Amino acid sequence: MLAEPTTRRFLVSRWADGWLVGGIGVAVWILFSMPSWGGPSFTSEVSGPLYWILIAISGTHFGVSYHLAYGQGRDVVRRRWPALVATPAVLALLSFAFLVAAIVGSDRVADEGVRLLLAMVFTLTSWHYIKQVYGVARVGASLQGLSIDRSTVLVLRYGLYPLWLVQAVAIWGGDGGASFNGFAASYDLLPTWIEPIFTVCSYGAAVLLVGAFLHLCATWRRLPPASVWTPYAVGFLWFLFPPSYVSAALVFGALHALQYLACAHRAEVEWGVERGATASTWWWSCVFGGALATGMLLVYWLPQWLTNVAGTSAVGLAPVAMLFAFFNLHHYAVDASIWRFGGDHVRRIVHGPDI
């Protein structure tokens, strides 16, 4: 399918797109992977201003996702009610039930409930990442009016699945060491020999993806735009060769959020035009400012407050873990509904506003 390029053919700008959706991630991976540059302390912990920058980027991407999902009005929310209404309602009911179990002393029920929710979060986190990589690459090509044949689309779409399976097997089988705030977040249900198989499959998928990009070079008679291939490069580097646990959990999360915000920026600008906003910079700055405040409140300050309140109580940190699971699982459901390739926001990015 040949995309129709809009008059604005970039998410942010010609030079910034490749860096925002993957180039910075590759550069940061190189920095964190060279002990001679940062030393063990640099790769084992992130603190100071860098920590707050990473938290702010992650929080803003949570906040802007809610604006994109719920800001279009009740009719859109009704059309997407399974993700935007039913999912948070079910998660809230489950969290309430597990909290009641903790209060009445049914620790086993509460712990297993929290464990299941956390395992779902960590299983779907990598799924969420790889789906975004594919979507960003397709949008990058469409903005440039570049067509992709069906066989190449299949390689781009499914080429990252082995990476997700490696992460999923680590949660549902193998070492079983994933945790959050002292709560177990993994199971030992799958045999350990499966993970190396999917790791090998990941290397094979990398070869297929390189072949797909070479095919696109020949088809387009040009190098693929950086916004098409850098998301794949950063995904493979951080999934297969994470410099450290802390950097993979915090730094890569922020890099994913930066990639997300580049797409959200274009969606918000075009949406603002539809709503009659005359100053696009002022429009998206206000949106991102509100998203930053909302995201920091929901994913940082509220959990911190809840930690102080519940940490010394009989239920301990179970409410904090459930809040973490609620917001993440809800976020994944929201994104699955608003970023479909034929959806309103992707249409605005690729084809411009519907005046």
Side-chain angles (χ1 to χ4, degrees):
M1 176 178 73
L2 184 63
E4 298 177 7
T6 123
T7 55
R8 300 292 296 273
R9 298 173 62 188
F10 306 97
L11 296 171
V12 178
S13 71
R14 180 188 299 272
W15 68 269
D17 282 7
W19 287 104
L20 292 174
V21 303
I24 293 177
V26 174
V28 172
W29 180 88
I30 294 173
L31 179 64
F32 272 70
S33 299
M34 298 185 68
S36 61
W37 288 25
S41 62
F42 187 65
T43 59
S44 61
E45 64 181 19
V46 176
S47 59
L50 177 59
Y51 173 81
W52 287 106
I53 291 173
L54 298 176
I55 289 294
I57 294 173
S58 297
T60 304
H61 113 278
F62 270 92
V64 80
S65 72
Y66 293 133
H67 182 254
L68 292 170
Y70 293 97
Q72 296 188 92
R74 286 175 292 183
D75 290 340
V76 175
V77 173
R78 289 193 192 100
R79 290 202 305 269
R80 298 170 178 162
W81 68 267
L84 303 185
V85 179
T87 295
V90 170
L91 290 173
L93 288 174
L94 288 175
S95 299
F96 179 74
F98 297 146
L99 180 60
V100 170
I103 293 173
V104 301
S106 299
D107 294 338
R108 181 175 178 81
V109 174
D111 289 347
E112 285 302 315
V114 172
R115 182 184 187 184
L116 177 61
L117 289 177
L118 292 175
M120 291 173 61
V121 169
F122 292 130
T123 302
L124 292 176
T125 296
S126 51
W127 173 262
H128 179 63
Y129 287 166
I130 67 169
K131 297 296 285 184
Q132 179 172 300
V133 166
Y134 168 70
V136 169
R138 289 295 307 274
V139 165
S142 295
L143 282 172
Q144 299 297 315
L146 298 172
S147 63
I148 304 178
D149 59 273
R150 181 168 177 77
S151 60
T152 305
V153 165
L154 293 176
V155 175
L156 295 179
R157 183 171 187 173
Y158 298 109
L160 293 178
Y161 276 41
L163 289 179
W164 168 67
L165 290 171
V166 170
Q167 306 297 317
V169 169
I171 298 299
W172 295 93
D175 55 17
S179 64
F180 177 83
N181 274 5
F183 290 92
S186 57
Y187 291 86
D188 191 15
L189 301 178
L190 299 175
T192 57
W193 52 263
I194 294 181
E195 185 173 352
I197 293 177
F198 288 135
T199 301
V200 173
C201 291
S202 297
Y203 290 114
V207 174
L208 287 177
L209 284 167
V210 170
F213 286 121
L214 291 175
H215 171 70
L216 291 178
C217 288
T219 302
W220 295 339
R221 297 184 179 180
R222 55 164 290 183
L223 292 176
S227 56
V228 174
W229 66 267
T230 54
Y232 285 89
V234 73
F236 269 98
L237 290 175
W238 281 90
F239 275 121
L240 285 182
F241 312 104
S244 69
Y245 172 77
V246 172
S247 64
L250 182 59
V251 179
F252 184 55
L255 293 170
H256 155 81
L258 190 64
Q259 186 183 81
Y260 188 101
L261 291 175
C263 297
H265 168 268
R266 174 52 49 203
E268 290 287 2
V269 168
E270 305 296 2
W271 188 17
V273 173
E274 286 190 8
R275 304 179 93 173
T278 56
S280 63
T281 301
W282 174 253
W283 164 262
W284 71 259
S285 297
C286 289
V287 169
F288 275 35
L292 170 61
T294 302
M296 291 296 288
L297 174 64
L298 296 180
V299 305
Y300 183 77
W301 286 313
L302 181 57
Q304 288 293 316
W305 173 82
L306 195 56
T307 298
N308 295 332
V309 171
T312 57
S313 66
V315 296
L317 295 178
V320 181
M322 286 186 284
L323 187 67
F324 169 82
F326 175 90
F327 283 128
N328 278 277
L329 292 174
H330 183 210
H331 174 67
Y332 301 157
V334 163
D335 280 0
S337 69
I338 68 174
W339 288 116
R340 295 184 180 278
F341 207 72
D344 295 338
H345 294 306
V346 175
R347 173 188 55 77
R348 292 186 179 103
I349 293 173
V350 176
H351 300 289
D354 185 10
I355 305 300

